[in-house]
Amino acid sequence: MAERTKLWHLESFNLFSNLSKEKMMELNSFISDQNVNRDEPIYFANEPSKTIFFLKTGRVKITKYLTDGSEKIIAIINPGEIFGEMAYLDEGQRTDYAVTVEPSLICAINKNDLASFIVKNPELNLRLTKLLGLKLRSFSERIEDLIFKDANQRVASFVLRYAEKNGKKIGDQIFVKPFLKHQNIGELTACSRQTVNYILTDLRNKGIIDFDRSRLVINKVDKLRAFIT
């Protein structure tokens, strides 16, 4: 039963979704999974970069800690996403921390085992390259936002991209559940929590979005997009 459950976990990742049952069983032998409680570290900065992770359930933040002890969130990882992927490209050490935001189920694979498996299944190389390219593009878009957009535009842009990536479109609306804390959004958009709250409340008063602690609804995608430009 446990093995069938693990296979189902692997099948839910786009990277592995089209593999045959035999290949999935082989991959399964390299994979370990673990339930991790909230606010627990997955890996630390400066440790050897040897493992790649896939998030099945929950959420994980990729973060850095500054010399003054403050925390800066780099990214939020949602179910179905890969993280720690620089291990596949770099022989060096981690430069950031991965910490659970909520209870999470995490699959892990040694980078050498994954590399060997990809050699035998070269179609995965293209998929992995595409996934890494999409992540790089996402980081590039965030950098452009930080340089060229004001606070209102940065928060609106982040909310729209987050909803389009993680939400479910029903009619003309996009539903996202769960939503992020305002503090997390602020750290990802270089805004204070108070500023994020003000901007989101303004968008709600305009009827463009609706939100509470557990969900986000974008009612008027076109108006939100227009708010950004």
Side-chain angles (χ1 to χ4, degrees):
M1 181 66 178
E3 290 302 307
R4 288 200 299 271
T5 301
K6 188 186 290 187
L7 286 178
W8 179 78
H9 291 162
L10 294 178
E11 289 170 352
S12 67
F13 294 105
N14 289 334
L15 182 62
F16 306 129
S17 59
N18 293 326
L19 291 177
S20 67
K21 183 177 180 180
E22 291 74 19
K23 291 181 179 179
M24 196 75 76
M25 289 292 291
E26 180 184 357
L27 179 64
N28 182 53
S29 67
F30 304 134
I31 294 283
S32 61
D33 54 28
Q34 182 180 8
N35 286 293
V36 184
N37 294 327
R38 177 181 178 179
D39 295 328
E40 289 195 7
I42 308 302
Y43 63 73
F44 298 89
N46 300 318
E47 72 178 24
S49 183
K50 296 180 179 180
T51 307
I52 298 168
F53 301 93
F54 303 90
L55 182 62
K56 174 53 191 168
T57 61
R59 279 189 295 184
V60 170
K61 61 183 177 181
I62 307 301
T63 188
K64 288 180 179 285
Y65 294 97
L66 305 184
T67 54
D68 63 2
S70 62
E71 177 187 19
K72 295 297 180 184
I73 296 178
I74 301 171
I76 296 290
I77 307 300
N78 292 286
E81 293 185 9
I82 184 174
F83 64 101
E85 69 279 359
M86 289 306 294
Y88 189 73
L89 305 173
D90 188 0
E91 295 291 335
Q93 296 179 321
R94 305 281 189 190
T95 59
D96 49 38
Y97 296 77
V99 182
T100 54
V101 176
E102 57 192 53
S104 302
L105 176 58
I106 296 167
C107 301
I109 184 170
N110 180 275
K111 66 177 181 180
N112 294 326
D113 290 336
L114 180 60
S116 297
F117 187 77
I118 287 177
V119 168
K120 293 185 290 184
N121 300 276
E123 71 276 12
L124 291 181
N125 193 42
L126 180 59
R127 291 190 208 169
L128 183 57
T129 300
K130 184 177 180 180
L131 283 174
L132 296 178
L134 289 173
K135 293 196 76 169
L136 288 173
R137 187 175 73 179
S138 176
F139 280 120
S140 177
E141 288 173 345
R142 281 185 54 206
I143 291 170
E144 290 180 7
D145 283 355
L146 293 173
I147 295 173
F148 298 112
K149 290 181 171 63
D150 62 24
N152 291 277
Q153 293 171 316
R154 291 199 302 273
V155 171
S157 178
F158 172 83
V159 166
L160 179 59
R161 285 203 304 270
Y162 188 83
E164 289 178 334
K165 179 181 178 183
N166 302 294
K168 182 176 182 180
K169 187 171 176 56
I170 302 178
D172 294 329
Q173 297 175 304
I174 303 177
F175 291 79
V176 183
K177 187 176 181 179
F179 194 30
L180 297 173
K181 294 180 180 179
H182 292 183
Q183 181 66 34
N184 293 154
I185 296 173
E187 291 169 343
L188 289 162
T189 58
C191 297
S192 68
R193 182 186 61 78
Q194 293 84 356
T195 297
V196 171
N197 183 64
Y198 175 83
I199 294 169
L200 293 181
T201 300
D202 182 56
L203 290 171
R204 180 169 60 187
N205 291 338
K206 289 181 169 68
I208 297 175
I209 69 171
D210 193 12
F211 68 91
D212 56 33
R213 292 183 177 180
S214 63
R215 69 185 180 102
L216 164 72
V217 182
I218 299 183
N219 298 313
K220 301 174 181 178
V221 176
D222 290 343
K223 285 194 175 182
L224 183 59
R225 188 170 284 113
F227 190 83
I228 298 168
T229 57

